[in-house]
Amino acid sequence: MVENGVEQPLLQGGGPPNNAGHAKPPPGARPPRRFRRCRTAPSTDAAQESPPRSQQDPSLQRGTTQLAPPKELLRGARPSFRLVGVLLLAYLLAGTVAFYLAMDHMSGDRTGSRVVDALYFSVVTMTTVGYGDLVPSSDAAKLLACAFAFAGVALVGTFLSKAADYLVEKQEALLFRALHARNRKALRVVEANRVRYKLYTAAALLAAALASGTAFMVEVEGMRPVDAFYCVCATVTTLGYGDQSFSSVAGRAFAAAWITVSTVVVALFFLYAAELGAERRQRALARWVLRRRTTCTDLEAADMDGDHRVGAADFVLYKLKELGKISQEEIAEFLEEFDELDADNSGTLSPHDLIVAQPG
């Protein structure tokens, strides 16, 4: 049968399908309330005009309702993380060279290595620890320290964001593997506890940082265990009281790497703790929305098209708005996009609509 210049396949019952791929309900009949997943058979002309999308995009798998994840998603945030890592190394190299040249304008406790002292001062400046055991004394050195302080804070913030993405890269890959293996139960478990897993990982890294720093200061710096733990805690929280600090060449060389890692880990730990608290409050709100009684006022608010009927789609959208998952402005934008794609104004979308509305 030919309709609108396009040959349409016939159903087993002999009637032509509509654009959604199923027979139209008779006039006056109430449309089905349940959502059903279906596959629309493309028209003959549409197949001739455009090759299957699975051939155009290898990330699409023909005959399935799921999409293969792009390789960029499986790689996570590694490229951005590497870029920030390069910037971090550039900052430390520039800081080491600058403060090495300005070391004669610095006062305080020095070791026998100007390079280690310069690197150490760059790190404590970038991480805002600021022990006070090594400080600039001239105007030029003070202005130089100010410039590196602002640049360091900006760099640490960027590094923290990208490091968080990098730490959950394997969890993202696990989500995709569970999705494409159709392991729905494992997928739900991972999604429900995703923030908790990140918090546990950050807590383990924080414990390792505290233990390694304390042990190093006891063994190398010769501090008492209590003083060593006190100095470690003051360092990772960027307090930097200054009464206890790294004073040996080996200690400051260790501090250059340890302070950078430990301060980032502490920030991640508290970030994930706050995120977990917000997620729990969101889940509590979701339980309240799902369990409370639906009133006539709710039905009036859910009746988006004003036909005094609330379908399944209207009800779902109203619940999503209550949960704060979607706004009325976003819904309006989606409807506008639907109207643009609905080339034949039938109220449904088909492959033919997509070809007409999105030529090329």
Side-chain angles (χ1 to χ4, degrees), residues 24-279:
K24 295 182 179 179
R30 187 173 182 177
R33 296 178 59 85
R34 298 185 63 183
F35 294 111
R36 301 182 185 274
R37 187 174 296 175
C38 62
R39 257 193 337 234
T40 303
S43 65
T44 304
D45 292 348
Q48 294 176 354
E49 293 176 8
S50 177
R53 296 190 64 190
S54 59
Q55 298 178 7
Q56 296 176 353
D57 189 352
S59 66
L60 300 180
Q61 299 181 358
R62 188 169 184 173
T64 63
T65 57
Q66 297 178 351
L67 300 180
K71 294 181 179 179
E72 291 76 6
L73 293 179
L74 292 177
R75 285 198 299 264
R78 183 174 296 174
S80 298
F81 177 76
R82 286 179 176 175
L83 176 60
V84 175
V86 170
L87 293 177
L88 174 62
L89 292 178
Y91 174 91
L92 294 178
L93 179 61
T96 301
V97 173
F99 292 112
Y100 175 86
L101 299 176
M103 189 56 62
D104 293 334
H105 300 275
M106 308 286 288
S107 62
D109 298 332
R110 300 186 192 178
T111 65
S113 174
R114 289 169 64 100
V115 174
V116 173
D117 288 343
L119 176 61
Y120 170 75
F121 183 78
S122 299
V123 171
V124 297
T125 300
M126 177 185 67
T127 56
T128 70
V129 172
Y131 288 120
D133 53 350
L134 192 62
V135 295
S137 56
S138 67
D139 292 343
K142 291 178 180 179
L143 293 176
L144 182 64
C146 291
F148 273 89
F150 279 103
V153 170
L155 182 59
V156 167
T158 305
F159 180 80
L160 177 62
S161 174
K162 299 304 178 182
D165 295 336
Y166 180 75
L167 287 177
V168 302
E169 176 185 354
K170 291 185 177 180
Q171 295 182 1
E172 296 289 348
L174 177 62
L175 286 174
F176 284 120
R177 285 197 298 269
L179 177 62
H180 291 276
R182 301 179 182 273
N183 191 350
R184 300 298 182 182
K185 183 177 180 181
L187 178 63
R188 287 194 297 267
V189 171
V190 172
E191 287 181 335
N193 298 282
R194 181 181 176 186
V195 178
R196 185 175 301 176
Y197 292 156
K198 293 192 293 185
L199 179 61
Y200 290 163
T201 302
L205 293 175
L206 175 59
L210 294 177
S212 61
T214 302
F216 185 89
M217 299 198 78
V218 170
E219 295 295 329
V220 178
E221 296 292 337
M223 295 184 182
R224 296 186 306 116
V226 174
D227 291 338
F229 184 71
Y230 162 76
C231 181
V232 164
C233 292
T235 300
V236 299
T237 54
T238 69
L239 291 174
Y241 289 121
D243 53 342
Q244 300 286 346
S245 62
F246 297 88
S247 57
S248 65
V249 176
R252 290 188 174 180
F254 170 79
W258 178 81
I259 291 176
T260 303
V261 174
S262 60
T263 50
V264 169
V265 168
V266 170
L268 286 176
F269 175 78
F270 287 106
L271 172 65
Y272 293 150
E275 186 178 355
L276 182 60
E279 185 180 82

Side-chain angles (χ1 to χ4, degrees), residues 300-323:
E300 293 177 1
D303 185 15
M304 299 180 58
D305 51 7
D307 61 353
H308 304 289
R309 289 184 178 181
V310 177
D314 295 332
F315 186 77
V316 170
L317 286 176
Y318 176 69
K319 288 295 183 180
L320 290 176
K321 289 170 61 178
E322 272 195 314
L323 292 173

